[in-house]
Amino acid sequence: MTQILTEPVSRYTRVAAVFHWLVAALIVVNVGLGYTAELLPDTWVRPAIDLHKSIGLTAIGLVSMRILWRLAHPAPPLPESYGRVERAAAHTAHVVLYGLILALPVSGWLHDSAFKDAAAHPLRIFWLIPWFRVGALAHLDPTTKEAVHGQLFALHVWLAYALYGLVALHVLGALKHQFIDGEAELQRMRVGRRRAL
Ligand code: HEM
């Protein structure tokens, strides 16, 4: 039997959409944990930081897979109404966003690799999977390590600020296209099934 697909909007593949929303959710939860972990009651602080690290290390894996998927599956074409500048801006923002969502958790991992008490707090993803620290940082002499630990934390914080700025532009852009230009922008990244007639 022949099926005619009703596909008025060109959409990302379902896998790309699942990666998009899953990574976005992990980042939102981790931003929340990053700022609140230290404010929790004493017995919760360490588990909250361990959860933050577990989610971040998982994000590194998911973002890497997402980038590989994206390289193998071109994005659907942008709507005709996008001008040349808007196309270039959207493309640049997406490339930088991919860079930031990878660099942010990697910077956290590097920061943690230079943690002076690392031996007392081994990395275990979700308390199950043992994970390694970067040897070149873990084996620095104590004074250098402490300085590098601080610098990598500053990098982690600044990458987070850069991500907030770019995500704000990304969301505002999507909302403008959806509600001001009247395009089916949000449907492009919908996870649901493609309907058949
Ligand atoms: C989805 C990825 C990640 C996001 C969005 C994220 C975000 C953040 C944010 C917003 C903070 C608070 C910064 C501040 O106090 O100004 C933070 C702190 C921190 N992050 Fe991450 N991070 C991620 C991944 C990681 C990873 C993979 C690790 C280590 C394996 C890590 C280790 C840390 C540590 C140790 C802190 C300090 C926590 C504390 O002492 O309260 N992060 N992160």
Side-chain angles (χ1 to χ4, degrees):
M1 194 179 74
T2 313
Q3 281 191 323
I4 303 164
L5 290 175
T6 48
E7 197 59 355
V9 180
S10 50
R11 284 165 49 173
Y12 283 85
T13 60
R14 193 182 313 172
V15 174
V18 168
F19 273 137
H20 176 276
W21 294 114
L22 193 56
V23 168
L26 293 184
I27 289 175
V28 167
V29 173
N30 243 15
V31 167
L33 280 170
Y35 289 119
T36 55
E38 297 281 0
L39 309 174
L40 294 171
D42 284 354
T43 49
W44 291 23
V45 172
R46 191 38 60 188
I49 294 179
D50 288 344
L51 181 61
H52 178 88
K53 294 179 188 178
S54 298
I55 292 175
L57 291 170
T58 306
I60 296 177
L62 286 173
V63 172
S64 305
M65 287 195 280
R66 182 174 173 198
I67 291 173
L68 290 176
W69 180 268
R70 174 65 180 76
L71 292 173
H73 299 80
L78 290 170
E80 298 284 309
S81 61
Y82 275 62
R84 230 159 49 93
V85 174
E86 227 171 351
R87 276 170 198 275
H91 180 69
T92 309
H94 294 165
V95 172
V96 180
L97 272 172
Y98 278 115
L100 283 174
I101 59 177
L102 187 59
L104 176 56
V106 168
S107 68
W109 181 38
L110 298 179
H111 159 67
D112 184 69
S113 296
F115 178 28
K116 66 174 183 321
D117 291 332
H121 300 284
L123 273 182
R124 289 182 86 84
I125 301 177
F126 298 112
W127 297 273
L128 290 173
I129 305 163
W131 200 251
F132 64 101
R133 290 183 163 103
V134 177
L137 293 166
H139 299 127
L140 288 171
D141 72 84
T143 318
T144 316
K145 196 173 175 173
E146 196 54 21
V148 170
H149 186 247
Q151 288 158 359
L152 287 168
F153 185 64
L155 178 66
H156 195 51
V157 171
W158 280 101
L159 287 172
Y161 291 158
L163 185 65
Y164 305 151
L166 206 56
V167 166
L169 289 177
H170 176 68
V171 172
L172 286 174
L175 295 178
K176 171 197 176 270
H177 286 290
Q178 181 81 19
F179 298 109
I180 298 180
D181 301 341
E183 287 151 8
E185 181 72 27
L186 302 180
Q187 283 84 331
R188 285 165 60 80
M189 201 44 103
R190 215 163 62 90
V191 173
R193 279 176 168 280
R194 277 141 212 273
R195 270 180 305 149
L197 279 178

PDB file of all heavy atoms in Angstrom, residues 27 30-31 34-35 38 49 52-53 56-57 59 104-105 108-109 111-112 153 156-157 164, ligand 1:
ATOM      1  N   ILE A  27      21.383  20.127  30.418  1.00  0.00           N
ATOM      2  CA  ILE A  27      22.073  21.397  30.692  1.00  0.00           C
ATOM      3  C   ILE A  27      21.272  22.222  31.708  1.00  0.00           C
ATOM      4  O   ILE A  27      21.833  22.761  32.663  1.00  0.00           O
ATOM      5  CB  ILE A  27      22.317  22.175  29.385  1.00  0.00           C
ATOM      6  CG1 ILE A  27      23.401  21.450  28.581  1.00  0.00           C
ATOM      7  CG2 ILE A  27      22.731  23.624  29.664  1.00  0.00           C
ATOM      8  CD1 ILE A  27      23.680  22.023  27.216  1.00  0.00           C
ATOM      9  N   ASN A  30      21.717  20.741  35.096  1.00  0.00           N
ATOM     10  CA  ASN A  30      23.074  20.932  35.609  1.00  0.00           C
ATOM     11  C   ASN A  30      23.371  22.381  35.974  1.00  0.00           C
ATOM     12  O   ASN A  30      24.134  22.636  36.894  1.00  0.00           O
ATOM     13  CB  ASN A  30      24.109  20.414  34.598  1.00  0.00           C
ATOM     14  CG  ASN A  30      24.878  19.263  35.196  1.00  0.00           C
ATOM     15  OD1 ASN A  30      24.451  18.709  36.202  1.00  0.00           O
ATOM     16  ND2 ASN A  30      25.995  18.905  34.611  1.00  0.00           N
ATOM     17  N   VAL A  31      22.764  23.320  35.260  1.00  0.00           N
ATOM     18  CA  VAL A  31      22.935  24.725  35.644  1.00  0.00           C
ATOM     19  C   VAL A  31      22.306  24.906  37.040  1.00  0.00           C
ATOM     20  O   VAL A  31      22.907  25.489  37.947  1.00  0.00           O
ATOM     21  CB  VAL A  31      22.290  25.672  34.609  1.00  0.00           C
ATOM     22  CG1 VAL A  31      22.177  27.083  35.158  1.00  0.00           C
ATOM     23  CG2 VAL A  31      23.120  25.680  33.320  1.00  0.00           C
ATOM     24  N   GLY A  34      24.554  23.288  39.567  1.00  0.00           N
ATOM     25  CA  GLY A  34      25.817  24.036  39.685  1.00  0.00           C
ATOM     26  C   GLY A  34      25.680  25.195  40.659  1.00  0.00           C
ATOM     27  O   GLY A  34      26.577  25.456  41.452  1.00  0.00           O
ATOM     28  N   TYR A  35      24.542  25.900  40.604  1.00  0.00           N
ATOM     29  CA  TYR A  35      24.377  27.061  41.482  1.00  0.00           C
ATOM     30  C   TYR A  35      23.833  26.702  42.857  1.00  0.00           C
ATOM     31  O   TYR A  35      24.008  27.461  43.801  1.00  0.00           O
ATOM     32  CB  TYR A  35      23.457  28.098  40.828  1.00  0.00           C
ATOM     33  CG  TYR A  35      24.122  28.791  39.648  1.00  0.00           C
ATOM     34  CD1 TYR A  35      23.596  28.705  38.373  1.00  0.00           C
ATOM     35  CD2 TYR A  35      25.299  29.515  39.828  1.00  0.00           C
ATOM     36  CE1 TYR A  35      24.207  29.322  37.296  1.00  0.00           C
ATOM     37  CE2 TYR A  35      25.929  30.134  38.760  1.00  0.00           C
ATOM     38  CZ  TYR A  35      25.378  30.031  37.501  1.00  0.00           C
ATOM     39  OH  TYR A  35      26.002  30.637  36.437  1.00  0.00           O
ATOM     40  N   GLU A  38      26.035  23.957  46.609  1.00  0.00           N
ATOM     41  CA  GLU A  38      26.693  24.419  47.837  1.00  0.00           C
ATOM     42  C   GLU A  38      25.701  24.962  48.871  1.00  0.00           C
ATOM     43  O   GLU A  38      26.047  25.146  50.030  1.00  0.00           O
ATOM     44  CB  GLU A  38      27.711  25.529  47.514  1.00  0.00           C
ATOM     45  CG  GLU A  38      28.866  25.095  46.618  1.00  0.00           C
ATOM     46  CD  GLU A  38      29.953  24.335  47.376  1.00  0.00           C
ATOM     47  OE1 GLU A  38      29.814  24.143  48.595  1.00  0.00           O
ATOM     48  OE2 GLU A  38      30.927  23.911  46.718  1.00  0.00           O
ATOM     49  N   ILE A  49      26.926  17.439  43.990  1.00  0.00           N
ATOM     50  CA  ILE A  49      28.057  17.719  43.089  1.00  0.00           C
ATOM     51  C   ILE A  49      28.371  16.459  42.256  1.00  0.00           C
ATOM     52  O   ILE A  49      28.650  16.546  41.060  1.00  0.00           O
ATOM     53  CB  ILE A  49      29.291  18.209  43.884  1.00  0.00           C
ATOM     54  CG1 ILE A  49      28.978  19.574  44.519  1.00  0.00           C
ATOM     55  CG2 ILE A  49      30.517  18.327  42.976  1.00  0.00           C
ATOM     56  CD1 ILE A  49      30.094  20.164  45.363  1.00  0.00           C
ATOM     57  N   HIS A  52      25.913  16.353  39.550  1.00  0.00           N
ATOM     58  CA  HIS A  52      26.284  17.366  38.548  1.00  0.00           C
ATOM     59  C   HIS A  52      27.372  16.800  37.619  1.00  0.00           C
ATOM     60  O   HIS A  52      27.293  16.921  36.393  1.00  0.00           O
ATOM     61  CB  HIS A  52      26.767  18.618  39.285  1.00  0.00           C
ATOM     62  CG  HIS A  52      27.234  19.726  38.400  1.00  0.00           C
ATOM     63  ND1 HIS A  52      26.399  20.686  37.908  1.00  0.00           N
ATOM     64  CD2 HIS A  52      28.468  20.035  37.907  1.00  0.00           C
ATOM     65  CE1 HIS A  52      27.084  21.538  37.163  1.00  0.00           C
ATOM     66  NE2 HIS A  52      28.355  21.169  37.149  1.00  0.00           N
ATOM     67  N   LYS A  53      28.380  16.158  38.214  1.00  0.00           N
ATOM     68  CA  LYS A  53      29.476  15.610  37.396  1.00  0.00           C
ATOM     69  C   LYS A  53      28.960  14.480  36.507  1.00  0.00           C
ATOM     70  O   LYS A  53      29.345  14.364  35.333  1.00  0.00           O
ATOM     71  CB  LYS A  53      30.603  15.101  38.305  1.00  0.00           C
ATOM     72  CG  LYS A  53      31.306  16.211  39.093  1.00  0.00           C
ATOM     73  CD  LYS A  53      32.388  15.621  39.978  1.00  0.00           C
ATOM     74  CE  LYS A  53      32.962  16.670  40.917  1.00  0.00           C
ATOM     75  NZ  LYS A  53      33.981  16.096  41.822  1.00  0.00           N
ATOM     76  N   GLY A  56      27.006  15.905  33.669  1.00  0.00           N
ATOM     77  CA  GLY A  56      27.912  16.590  32.737  1.00  0.00           C
ATOM     78  C   GLY A  56      28.711  15.601  31.892  1.00  0.00           C
ATOM     79  O   GLY A  56      28.877  15.804  30.682  1.00  0.00           O
ATOM     80  N   LEU A  57      29.198  14.528  32.524  1.00  0.00           N
ATOM     81  CA  LEU A  57      29.965  13.530  31.752  1.00  0.00           C
ATOM     82  C   LEU A  57      29.043  12.828  30.753  1.00  0.00           C
ATOM     83  O   LEU A  57      29.448  12.546  29.615  1.00  0.00           O
ATOM     84  CB  LEU A  57      30.620  12.512  32.703  1.00  0.00           C
ATOM     85  CG  LEU A  57      31.750  13.091  33.577  1.00  0.00           C
ATOM     86  CD1 LEU A  57      32.170  12.095  34.658  1.00  0.00           C
ATOM     87  CD2 LEU A  57      32.978  13.460  32.727  1.00  0.00           C
ATOM     88  N   ALA A  59      26.536  14.253  29.372  1.00  0.00           N
ATOM     89  CA  ALA A  59      26.323  15.260  28.323  1.00  0.00           C
ATOM     90  C   ALA A  59      27.477  15.238  27.312  1.00  0.00           C
ATOM     91  O   ALA A  59      27.242  15.378  26.108  1.00  0.00           O
ATOM     92  CB  ALA A  59      26.168  16.650  28.947  1.00  0.00           C
ATOM     93  N   LEU A 104      31.695  23.317  27.554  1.00  0.00           N
ATOM     94  CA  LEU A 104      31.299  23.583  28.946  1.00  0.00           C
ATOM     95  C   LEU A 104      31.494  22.346  29.829  1.00  0.00           C
ATOM     96  O   LEU A 104      32.213  22.415  30.834  1.00  0.00           O
ATOM     97  CB  LEU A 104      29.852  24.109  28.972  1.00  0.00           C
ATOM     98  CG  LEU A 104      29.241  24.341  30.343  1.00  0.00           C
ATOM     99  CD1 LEU A 104      30.079  25.277  31.193  1.00  0.00           C
ATOM    100  CD2 LEU A 104      27.837  24.904  30.206  1.00  0.00           C
ATOM    101  N   PRO A 105      30.902  21.181  29.479  1.00  0.00           N
ATOM    102  CA  PRO A 105      31.152  20.024  30.342  1.00  0.00           C
ATOM    103  C   PRO A 105      32.608  19.560  30.317  1.00  0.00           C
ATOM    104  O   PRO A 105      33.126  19.108  31.338  1.00  0.00           O
ATOM    105  CB  PRO A 105      30.203  18.945  29.810  1.00  0.00           C
ATOM    106  CG  PRO A 105      29.766  19.384  28.469  1.00  0.00           C
ATOM    107  CD  PRO A 105      29.887  20.877  28.447  1.00  0.00           C
ATOM    108  N   GLY A 108      34.441  21.469  32.829  1.00  0.00           N
ATOM    109  CA  GLY A 108      34.130  20.988  34.186  1.00  0.00           C
ATOM    110  C   GLY A 108      34.949  19.750  34.506  1.00  0.00           C
ATOM    111  O   GLY A 108      35.491  19.602  35.605  1.00  0.00           O
ATOM    112  N   TRP A 109      35.074  18.877  33.515  1.00  0.00           N
ATOM    113  CA  TRP A 109      35.837  17.636  33.711  1.00  0.00           C
ATOM    114  C   TRP A 109      37.327  17.959  33.926  1.00  0.00           C
ATOM    115  O   TRP A 109      37.988  17.384  34.800  1.00  0.00           O
ATOM    116  CB  TRP A 109      35.629  16.731  32.495  1.00  0.00           C
ATOM    117  CG  TRP A 109      36.313  15.414  32.544  1.00  0.00           C
ATOM    118  CD1 TRP A 109      36.473  14.604  33.638  1.00  0.00           C
ATOM    119  CD2 TRP A 109      36.938  14.733  31.449  1.00  0.00           C
ATOM    120  NE1 TRP A 109      37.148  13.457  33.285  1.00  0.00           N
ATOM    121  CE2 TRP A 109      37.443  13.507  31.941  1.00  0.00           C
ATOM    122  CE3 TRP A 109      37.101  15.030  30.103  1.00  0.00           C
ATOM    123  CZ2 TRP A 109      38.111  12.593  31.138  1.00  0.00           C
ATOM    124  CZ3 TRP A 109      37.758  14.118  29.292  1.00  0.00           C
ATOM    125  CH2 TRP A 109      38.256  12.917  29.803  1.00  0.00           C
ATOM    126  N   HIS A 111      38.512  20.818  35.057  1.00  0.00           N
ATOM    127  CA  HIS A 111      38.580  21.462  36.384  1.00  0.00           C
ATOM    128  C   HIS A 111      38.631  20.394  37.469  1.00  0.00           C
ATOM    129  O   HIS A 111      39.468  20.424  38.376  1.00  0.00           O
ATOM    130  CB  HIS A 111      37.337  22.357  36.513  1.00  0.00           C
ATOM    131  CG  HIS A 111      36.947  22.710  37.907  1.00  0.00           C
ATOM    132  ND1 HIS A 111      37.706  23.511  38.722  1.00  0.00           N
ATOM    133  CD2 HIS A 111      35.852  22.360  38.654  1.00  0.00           C
ATOM    134  CE1 HIS A 111      37.102  23.661  39.898  1.00  0.00           C
ATOM    135  NE2 HIS A 111      35.983  22.962  39.884  1.00  0.00           N
ATOM    136  N   ASP A 112      37.750  19.404  37.348  1.00  0.00           N
ATOM    137  CA  ASP A 112      37.686  18.344  38.357  1.00  0.00           C
ATOM    138  C   ASP A 112      38.948  17.473  38.341  1.00  0.00           C
ATOM    139  O   ASP A 112      39.343  16.927  39.366  1.00  0.00           O
ATOM    140  CB  ASP A 112      36.442  17.484  38.094  1.00  0.00           C
ATOM    141  CG  ASP A 112      36.269  16.441  39.160  1.00  0.00           C
ATOM    142  OD1 ASP A 112      35.949  16.819  40.301  1.00  0.00           O
ATOM    143  OD2 ASP A 112      36.500  15.245  38.882  1.00  0.00           O
ATOM    144  N   PHE A 153      38.130  26.480  36.653  1.00  0.00           N
ATOM    145  CA  PHE A 153      36.784  26.779  37.157  1.00  0.00           C
ATOM    146  C   PHE A 153      36.292  28.094  36.545  1.00  0.00           C
ATOM    147  O   PHE A 153      35.135  28.202  36.124  1.00  0.00           O
ATOM    148  CB  PHE A 153      36.759  26.854  38.690  1.00  0.00           C
ATOM    149  CG  PHE A 153      35.363  27.036  39.218  1.00  0.00           C
ATOM    150  CD1 PHE A 153      34.408  26.040  39.025  1.00  0.00           C
ATOM    151  CD2 PHE A 153      34.979  28.201  39.873  1.00  0.00           C
ATOM    152  CE1 PHE A 153      33.102  26.195  39.469  1.00  0.00           C
ATOM    153  CE2 PHE A 153      33.677  28.369  40.322  1.00  0.00           C
ATOM    154  CZ  PHE A 153      32.739  27.366  40.128  1.00  0.00           C
ATOM    155  N   HIS A 156      35.078  27.367  33.214  1.00  0.00           N
ATOM    156  CA  HIS A 156      33.776  26.678  33.293  1.00  0.00           C
ATOM    157  C   HIS A 156      32.656  27.714  33.487  1.00  0.00           C
ATOM    158  O   HIS A 156      31.635  27.675  32.806  1.00  0.00           O
ATOM    159  CB  HIS A 156      33.858  25.724  34.488  1.00  0.00           C
ATOM    160  CG  HIS A 156      32.787  24.680  34.547  1.00  0.00           C
ATOM    161  ND1 HIS A 156      32.467  23.858  33.503  1.00  0.00           N
ATOM    162  CD2 HIS A 156      31.948  24.308  35.576  1.00  0.00           C
ATOM    163  CE1 HIS A 156      31.496  23.027  33.870  1.00  0.00           C
ATOM    164  NE2 HIS A 156      31.150  23.288  35.118  1.00  0.00           N
ATOM    165  N   VAL A 157      32.887  28.666  34.387  1.00  0.00           N
ATOM    166  CA  VAL A 157      31.877  29.692  34.683  1.00  0.00           C
ATOM    167  C   VAL A 157      31.649  30.587  33.450  1.00  0.00           C
ATOM    168  O   VAL A 157      30.506  30.864  33.076  1.00  0.00           O
ATOM    169  CB  VAL A 157      32.339  30.547  35.896  1.00  0.00           C
ATOM    170  CG1 VAL A 157      31.443  31.747  36.094  1.00  0.00           C
ATOM    171  CG2 VAL A 157      32.396  29.693  37.157  1.00  0.00           C
ATOM    172  N   TYR A 164      24.575  30.994  28.185  1.00  0.00           N
ATOM    173  CA  TYR A 164      23.290  31.650  28.505  1.00  0.00           C
ATOM    174  C   TYR A 164      22.960  32.708  27.439  1.00  0.00           C
ATOM    175  O   TYR A 164      21.832  32.823  26.990  1.00  0.00           O
ATOM    176  CB  TYR A 164      23.313  32.367  29.867  1.00  0.00           C
ATOM    177  CG  TYR A 164      23.717  31.513  31.041  1.00  0.00           C
ATOM    178  CD1 TYR A 164      24.354  32.076  32.148  1.00  0.00           C
ATOM    179  CD2 TYR A 164      23.477  30.148  31.049  1.00  0.00           C
ATOM    180  CE1 TYR A 164      24.738  31.297  33.225  1.00  0.00           C
ATOM    181  CE2 TYR A 164      23.874  29.365  32.129  1.00  0.00           C
ATOM    182  CZ  TYR A 164      24.508  29.950  33.208  1.00  0.00           C
ATOM    183  OH  TYR A 164      24.906  29.190  34.266  1.00  0.00           O
TER     184      TYR A 164
HETATM  185  C1  HEM B   1      25.915  19.949  31.100  1.00  0.00           C
HETATM  186  C2  HEM B   1      27.136  20.293  31.449  1.00  0.00           C
HETATM  187  C3  HEM B   1      27.484  21.243  32.559  1.00  0.00           C
HETATM  188  C4  HEM B   1      26.901  22.443  32.880  1.00  0.00           C
HETATM  189  C5  HEM B   1      25.733  23.153  32.167  1.00  0.00           C
HETATM  190  C6  HEM B   1      27.604  22.960  34.045  1.00  0.00           C
HETATM  191  C7  HEM B   1      27.311  24.166  34.675  1.00  0.00           C
HETATM  192  C8  HEM B   1      27.852  24.591  35.876  1.00  0.00           C
HETATM  193  C9  HEM B   1      27.501  25.807  36.565  1.00  0.00           C
HETATM  194  C10 HEM B   1      26.490  26.853  36.077  1.00  0.00           C
HETATM  195  C11 HEM B   1      28.226  25.847  37.708  1.00  0.00           C
HETATM  196  C12 HEM B   1      28.182  26.967  38.765  1.00  0.00           C
HETATM  197  C13 HEM B   1      29.257  27.964  38.437  1.00  0.00           C
HETATM  198  C14 HEM B   1      29.285  29.106  39.440  1.00  0.00           C
HETATM  199  O1  HEM B   1      29.276  28.828  40.656  1.00  0.00           O
HETATM  200  O2  HEM B   1      29.319  30.277  38.998  1.00  0.00           O
HETATM  201  C15 HEM B   1      29.039  24.653  37.768  1.00  0.00           C
HETATM  202  C16 HEM B   1      29.897  24.309  38.810  1.00  0.00           C
HETATM  203  C17 HEM B   1      30.686  23.160  38.849  1.00  0.00           C
HETATM  204  N1  HEM B   1      30.823  22.215  37.847  1.00  0.00           N
HETATM  205 FE1  HEM B   1      29.749  22.148  36.136  1.00  0.00          FE
HETATM  206  N2  HEM B   1      28.584  22.064  34.410  1.00  0.00           N
HETATM  207  C18 HEM B   1      28.558  20.997  33.533  1.00  0.00           C
HETATM  208  C19 HEM B   1      29.401  19.894  33.536  1.00  0.00           C
HETATM  209  C20 HEM B   1      30.359  19.599  34.516  1.00  0.00           C
HETATM  210  C21 HEM B   1      31.223  18.427  34.534  1.00  0.00           C
HETATM  211  C22 HEM B   1      31.285  17.352  33.435  1.00  0.00           C
HETATM  212  C23 HEM B   1      31.961  18.479  35.668  1.00  0.00           C
HETATM  213  C24 HEM B   1      33.001  17.529  36.198  1.00  0.00           C
HETATM  214  C25 HEM B   1      33.136  16.258  35.849  1.00  0.00           C
HETATM  215  C26 HEM B   1      31.586  19.706  36.369  1.00  0.00           C
HETATM  216  C27 HEM B   1      32.129  20.126  37.569  1.00  0.00           C
HETATM  217  C28 HEM B   1      31.713  21.240  38.272  1.00  0.00           C
HETATM  218  C29 HEM B   1      32.153  21.561  39.621  1.00  0.00           C
HETATM  219  C30 HEM B   1      33.132  20.736  40.484  1.00  0.00           C
HETATM  220  C31 HEM B   1      31.504  22.754  39.972  1.00  0.00           C
HETATM  221  C32 HEM B   1      31.587  23.467  41.321  1.00  0.00           C
HETATM  222  C33 HEM B   1      30.418  22.911  42.127  1.00  0.00           C
HETATM  223  C34 HEM B   1      30.441  23.477  43.511  1.00  0.00           C
HETATM  224  O3  HEM B   1      31.485  23.414  44.122  1.00  0.00           O
HETATM  225  O4  HEM B   1      29.377  23.954  43.911  1.00  0.00           O
HETATM  226  N3  HEM B   1      30.618  20.362  35.626  1.00  0.00           N
HETATM  227  N4  HEM B   1      28.811  23.917  36.634  1.00  0.00           N
END
